[in-house]
Amino acid sequence: MEPCRTQAIVIDVKDYGESDKIVTFYSLLRGRMCGIAKGAKRSLKRFVNKLELFTLLEIHFTDSRASSLVRIDQAEPLAHFPALRASYERYTAAALLCELVLHWTRENDADPRLFDLLRWGLGNLEDGRRPPIWGVIIFQIKMFTLLGFQPDLSGCATCGRLAPELTPYRFRLARGGLLCSPCAKVARPDDRQGLLISLSTAQLLKKSQELETAKLARFRFSPREVQESAVFLQAYGNHILQREIQAWEQLTRPEHYRTQATIPRKSPERAHGKP
Ligand SMILES: [Zn+2]
C-alpha cells in the first residue's frame, strides 16, 4: 500500500495494549478516520506529545489490507492548542466539539468545510476572547448547516411569522420548526409541546446560520440567550442523532451559566450583531 499524508485533528485517542494507541482523526483528506500508532507509548521521537486530543497534525499513514485501521507512521504537529488543556471550561468545550464531530460524521466521508470549521472552533476556544459556550453555540449551529440539518428558525412553521407580538415561541423537535403563541392556541394539544425559545434567541441563531464565522465576532449573547441556545442545540442534536453527547453534561451545569453573566454587552444594537 502507498503511504499517504494529510492534515488531521485528533478527536479521540485510546491506549491499546501495552504500547500502542488507537487514534481517531478528522482529516482533510478522508474526513473521520481511525488509525493505530504502534509503539506510540514507547517511541518518544515519533509520537510523544503529538497524538493528544485537539492537536492539529500532519500525519503520514498507510492503509491496511486486513483492517479499516490505517497505520500511523509519523505525525508532525501543526498546532497544539495548549490553552485548551489549561482551563476546565475550555477543555470541556473543545471536547464537546470533538465528540460532536466523532458522532455526526462517517468514516471516509471528507468535508473540507467541516475540517475548517473544527480548526476554527478549536482556535477560537484557544484564543479565549469569547466565553467557551459562545464558541460551542456558533460551532454547532454552523455544523448543522454544513451537514444539512439546519433547524428552521425563519418563522412559525404554521403562519410563517416571526414577531414580538407572537411570543412565546416553542421549537417542536418532532416537526423541526417553530410554533408561535397564537398558532399554539389552535393546535392539537399534543402538537403544542416544545422548547421555549425567545424571539431574540431565535433571531441570533438565525443570524449565526447566515453569516460567516469571521463576521460573528461582534455578536453578544445575554445569559438568557446563551442558556436557551445551549439547551435548544443540545436537545435538537440529541433528538436527530438519537444519542446523548456526554460533554454537554459538563458544559450545561447551572454554575456554568452564572459564569456567563459576565459576558460583556455594550448596547442592544450590538447584541443583535448590527455594526
Ligand atoms: Zn404561527
Side-chain angles (χ1 to χ4, degrees):
M1 291 280 185
E2 286 291 309
C4 304
R5 59 199 290 177
T6 181
Q7 286 189 26
I9 295 167
V10 178
I11 58 172
D12 192 44
V13 58
K14 291 184 173 71
D15 288 343
Y16 184 73
E18 289 195 357
S19 61
D20 304 341
K21 283 180 187 279
I22 302 278
V23 188
T24 307
F25 303 97
Y26 194 78
S27 70
L28 197 53
L29 187 68
R30 294 195 179 171
R32 179 156 64 86
M33 59 185 285
C34 201
I36 184 162
K38 293 258 182 201
K41 288 154 74 178
R42 286 196 308 253
S43 174
L44 298 184
K45 188 178 170 195
R46 279 197 305 158
F47 294 125
V48 72
N49 295 335
K50 294 176 182 173
L51 301 176
E52 292 184 0
L53 202 57
F54 319 137
T55 308
L56 170 64
L57 302 161
E58 169 97 9
I59 57 168
H60 299 223
F61 65 95
T62 310
D63 287 307
S64 162
R65 285 194 176 84
S67 159
S68 63
L69 284 178
V70 303
R71 188 186 72 215
I72 305 161
D73 300 316
Q74 196 180 331
E76 295 305 326
L78 302 175
H80 268 303
F81 304 117
L84 302 183
R85 289 167 246 280
S87 147
Y88 175 78
E89 272 191 356
R90 287 198 230 176
Y91 184 92
T92 308
L96 175 53
L97 266 48
C98 290
E99 193 180 345
L100 287 167
V101 172
L102 184 68
H103 293 298
W104 275 88
T105 58
R106 293 174 298 187
E107 284 199 339
N108 297 315
D109 187 17
D111 185 341
R113 298 168 307 163
L114 185 58
F115 179 84
D116 287 343
L117 180 65
L118 180 59
R119 186 168 54 183
W120 172 85
L122 295 175
N124 174 64
L125 292 171
E126 170 80 8
D127 177 57
R129 278 185 285 182
R130 308 302 307 273
I133 190 75
W134 180 89
V136 168
I137 289 168
I138 300 298
F139 175 85
Q140 192 158 3
I141 201 86
K142 290 293 185 195
M143 185 191 77
F144 286 143
T145 300
L146 284 182
L147 298 177
F149 289 98
Q150 177 168 300
D152 183 0
L153 298 165
S154 59
C156 170
T158 302
C159 69
R161 292 184 295 163
L162 196 64
E165 65 271 21
L166 306 179
T167 55
Y169 279 86
R170 291 177 183 277
F171 191 91
R172 296 173 296 176
L173 293 171
R175 290 181 172 243
L178 291 169
L179 184 70
C180 73
S181 187
C183 290
K185 286 179 183 153
V186 296
R188 294 201 318 267
D190 61 344
D191 214 14
R192 293 174 194 165
Q193 306 303 315
L195 294 165
L196 274 174
I197 189 164
S198 65
L199 184 65
S200 65
T201 301
Q203 288 172 327
L204 269 173
L205 292 175
K206 185 167 168 289
K207 281 258 184 198
S208 305
Q209 289 172 337
E210 294 163 359
L211 295 177
E212 298 167 23
T213 49
K215 293 184 179 171
L216 293 173
R218 63 177 185 263
F219 273 39
R220 297 286 184 271
F221 285 63
S222 71
R224 177 187 176 186
E225 289 156 355
V226 165
Q227 179 158 19
E228 283 185 354
S229 299
V231 168
F232 165 67
L233 291 169
Q234 180 184 13
Y236 178 77
N238 288 351
H239 175 76
I240 295 173
L241 205 56
Q242 291 294 298
R243 70 173 294 153
E244 297 286 324
I245 295 292
Q246 299 295 323
W248 269 118
E249 302 307 318
Q250 277 86 48
L251 205 65
T252 53
R253 290 181 309 186
E255 61 266 30
H256 184 77
Y257 291 123
R258 283 199 288 275
T259 311
Q260 298 311 312
T262 60
I263 297 173
R265 184 164 183 147
K266 292 184 178 171
S267 70
E269 286 73 29
R270 283 177 68 84
H272 297 285
K274 292 171 189 166

